[in-house]
Amino acid sequence: MAEHTRRTVLRGAAGLAAAGALAGTAGQQASALPAGAGAKRRFPFLEGAFAPVTEELTAFDLPVTGRIPRELNGRFLRNGPNVLGLEDPRAHHWMLGDGMVHGVRLRDGRAEWYRNRWVRSSQVAEKLGEPRPGPVPPDDFACNTHVIPYRGRILALQESGPLPYELDGELNTVGTHDFRGTLEGAFTAHTKYDAHAGELHAIAYYPAWDHVRHLVVDPAGRVCRTTRIPVADAPMMHDFALTEKHVVVFDLPVTFDPAAAGRGAPVPYVWNREHPTRVGVMRRTGGPVRWFGIDPVFYSHTLNAYDEGSSVVVDLTTYPAPFQVAGPGSDGPYDAGTAKLERWTVDLRHGHVRQRVLDDRPQEFPRVNEALVSRRHRYGYSAAAADMVLAYLTPAGGNPPDRAFSDALFKHDLLRGTTEVHRLPRHAAAGEAVFVPRDPDGGKAAEDDGYTLAYVHDPDRGAADLVILAAQDFGGEPVARVHLPGRVPLGFHGSWVADA
């Protein structure tokens, strides 16, 4: 592939960092358009709660309503696109924004600081007029999709090409991270860390490959095993699932379009009606993949997965087909319906997949107690998004139910089949909620003994709060609200980084 074509492909692939991501919009509709431009055209992902912030802030001793639990000692971080130096919104796609990480440092019952920092890729450093030490890595991009703790490091992640970027404890960019020189090629935004085995797992895809790769990073921090899984049409694989024994991959009809890449399309991926929809199951140790065909659907994110006898159970969020990743122009991804929470049970003995809806309310960003990744779980957490439904649906999506137009956080009891709802005020757009155990070394503590943390827009202040909920009193008043000095644009994924 010619280098200029390869760069075009990479630009589009980087934009797929959150192709299925759903977040809410609300608040004042402050346009990001230049004065007088596009008077009749909306750019929903450059407006309102999606509008990028224009400066990096640092604030200390943040005001708090309520009381921060003293056992919360660490940093709550969240990544997302925050475009820098946009000249023409018509040429922009919302998923191509430069990554910006927002963080609040909690210690001993205090909110010590808030910071937001762009990830210093070579392009971002150039835009900010800063020197970049050392050579520019291949496929460089300001990773904008996830931020995770890993072996004492903080890594900002992107899929399909760019290396992870390492940040320090104050969110300054240290540099790229290649797992001690062992990562070859693309990585993922959605790793799975098995705390029992001490292994970090990834499924990496790249538009020039005729396969995807299952990567295993060992406890020493090196990629110790790579398994190539042949696939046709260069499909996008944004997320995957991991159990104690298996890796589950989702081969969906969103595939790379060389013609679109040749035209310079920001996101050269399309819904491919000729590409079969299938679920693949492989042993964690590698080997052949068993494929199971299903009806067309778009899967976005995994809540968690586990083995159950001769079956593999995956809880995940899905959208109805067809799913248009790029949408028309720069207006963002489009879909014919809202996301819902489902359970897919892959019956390995009888060779089929059973699919059932767990909760049909519009929701995204499902999360689990991270200690249970790849093991059986009872609880899951997700976010409802109000104005995002309006920005996301095609006209063919029809009129969604009224309950779609509300902002809320969900706690699902998947054993009892019930859901608790923490309702938020109108225009209080909420991002992904992350569960934090009360005692990370709790041993026999209940699975939901802890807190859920999320950034929530406060429309009265025009700024964000870090909202802390007691997970066992999910529908009750927040334990604490940490009042931030500015907005946190709605973005993608984040993590709790506990003190060592």
Side-chain angles (χ1 to χ4, degrees), residues 9 55 93 158 176 367:
V9 168
E55 59 182 338
H93 194 283
Q158 188 82 18
T176 55
R367 296 295 294 259

Side-chain angles (χ1 to χ4, degrees), residues 184-274:
E184 297 181 1
F187 200 57
T188 185
H190 286 286
T191 55
K192 311 295 179 193
Y193 181 71
D194 183 340
H196 299 267
E199 294 177 345
L200 187 71
H201 290 249
I203 293 291
Y205 73 94
Y206 190 79
W209 292 349
D210 61 359
H211 61 278
V212 298
R213 298 177 183 176
H214 172 228
L215 309 175
V216 182
V217 184
D218 65 19
R222 297 176 177 271
V223 177
C224 64
R225 186 169 66 251
T226 300
T227 303
R228 298 191 176 194
I229 303 172
V231 292
D233 303 324
M236 182 188 77
M237 288 195 184
H238 179 62
D239 201 352
F240 72 107
L242 183 74
T243 74
E244 189 174 0
K245 299 177 182 178
H246 298 97
V247 176
V248 185
V249 294
F250 303 89
D251 186 6
L252 306 176
V254 175
T255 63
F256 176 66
D257 182 356
R263 295 191 300 269
V267 183
Y269 280 77
V270 299
W271 184 265
N272 183 351
R273 297 181 185 276
E274 304 301 317

Side-chain angles (χ1 to χ4, degrees), residues 231-471:
V231 292
D233 303 324
M236 182 188 77
M237 288 195 184
H238 179 62
D239 201 352
F240 72 107
L242 183 74
T243 74
E244 189 174 0
K245 299 177 182 178
H246 298 97
V247 176
V248 185
V249 294
F250 303 89
D251 186 6
L252 306 176
V254 175
T255 63
F256 176 66
D257 182 356
R263 295 191 300 269
V267 183
Y269 280 77
V270 299
W271 184 265
N272 183 351
R273 297 181 185 276
E274 304 301 317
H275 187 87
T277 307
R278 56 184 189 162
V279 179
V281 179
M282 182 183 75
R283 301 287 296 187
R284 269 176 60 157
T285 53
V289 178
R290 288 187 62 187
W291 292 105
F292 304 83
I294 59 174
D295 291 336
V297 67
F298 183 79
Y299 141 82
S300 59
H301 294 106
T302 298
L303 189 155
N304 194 31
Y306 57 88
D307 299 301
E308 186 174 64
S310 61
S311 295
V312 173
V313 179
V314 187
D315 292 342
L316 69 173
T317 48
T318 69
Y319 296 80
F323 183 87
Q324 305 296 341
V325 175
S330 297
D331 289 351
Y334 270 63
D335 182 44
T338 56
K340 55 184 177 293
L341 183 66
E342 294 192 359
R343 171 165 290 179
W344 293 5
T345 303
V346 185
D347 188 329
L348 300 175
R349 177 176 298 171
H350 298 99
H352 61 82
V353 180
R354 298 191 301 274
Q355 299 166 264
R356 68 183 179 95
V357 176
L358 298 175
D359 193 305
D360 66 351
R361 283 171 283 202
Q363 61 194 280
E364 250 288 8
F365 297 144
R367 296 295 294 259
V368 72
N369 182 333
E370 295 292 307
L372 296 176
V373 168
S374 78
R375 266 64 174 179
R376 183 186 294 270
H377 61 280
R378 174 175 176 175
Y379 300 105
Y381 307 87
S382 58
D387 291 356
M388 181 61 184
V389 174
L390 290 173
Y392 210 81
L393 288 176
T394 60
N399 295 315
D402 288 342
R403 66 183 181 178
F405 303 106
S406 61
D407 292 294
L409 300 173
F410 295 148
K411 176 190 177 184
H412 301 285
D413 185 333
L414 302 169
L415 177 63
R416 295 183 176 179
T418 59
T419 299
E420 292 181 73
V421 181
H422 184 84
R423 302 192 184 279
L424 298 166
R426 184 175 176 82
H427 299 318
E432 180 181 65
V434 174
F435 176 82
V436 182
R438 187 187 307 272
D439 179 4
D441 301 317
K444 296 183 179 180
E447 179 183 332
D448 63 344
D449 183 12
Y451 306 94
T452 52
L453 278 63
Y455 290 122
V456 177
H457 182 70
D458 181 344
D460 294 332
R461 294 196 308 116
D465 292 336
L466 170 57
V467 173
I468 303 174
L469 304 177

